[in-house]
Amino acid sequence: MAKKDKKVEIIDNDKKGGLDLGLLLELVGVVVNSTKNKDGQKGINIDTKKLAWGVAGIAGQQTLKGMGNWRQRRQLRKELKSGLIDLEDYQAGRSAASKKLKKNRLGPGMLVGSAIGGAVYLLSMPPEDRTRFFKQLDEALSQVAGLVNELQGKPYSKDFEEKK
């Protein structure tokens, strides 16, 4: 008779979900930030756009957290089935030793995410603020360029004439 492979039963008793105190406080903060009082009106009015964006942000965070936990559990199951870790390590949430990456390494995802976040921030600004921001940025760049030119002994402008 052929040997039967031993199958390891994996039971996820550590499934955590639902509302915790931090999430409740975050939801309360979104609701409080979305309330506004209009002049001359009694009571509280809710800004539905702020409320919708806040709740959508929290839902996105929870989705990403859930996906991360799901991927981690899936990776641990694969390691357990392949024999890299034992059942105790699986239950404790410890994975097999993985190769170490260099410290302080910026990944391309972080750079792309920063660029997209900056672009979305600039696009969400009112046009007056955006114009003022770019003027301030231009002034700061010209000041830095002037400082660099001064340190290098170069003139500030193209029509500069040296004193003799």
Side-chain angles (χ1 to χ4, degrees), residues 8-12 73 76-78 80-81 87 90:
V8 178
E9 288 266 338
I10 300 172
I11 301 171
D12 285 331
R73 284 193 314 269
L76 286 173
R77 276 191 215 110
K78 285 181 181 180
L80 180 63
K81 287 180 182 179
L87 191 58
Y90 174 79

Side-chain angles (χ1 to χ4, degrees), residues 100-125:
K100 288 188 175 182
L101 297 176
K102 294 179 184 176
K103 290 184 179 180
N104 298 331
R105 183 176 169 194
L106 289 177
M110 179 180 275
L111 295 175
V112 170
S114 298
I116 291 172
V120 168
Y121 175 73
L122 286 175
L123 290 174
S124 67
M125 292 175 96

Side-chain angles (χ1 to χ4, degrees), residues 10-29:
I10 300 172
I11 301 171
D12 285 331
N13 292 332
D14 59 344
K15 287 187 180 179
K16 295 177 182 172
L19 297 173
D20 59 348
L21 183 61
L23 182 60
L24 286 175
L25 290 176
E26 213 170 339
L27 283 170
V28 168

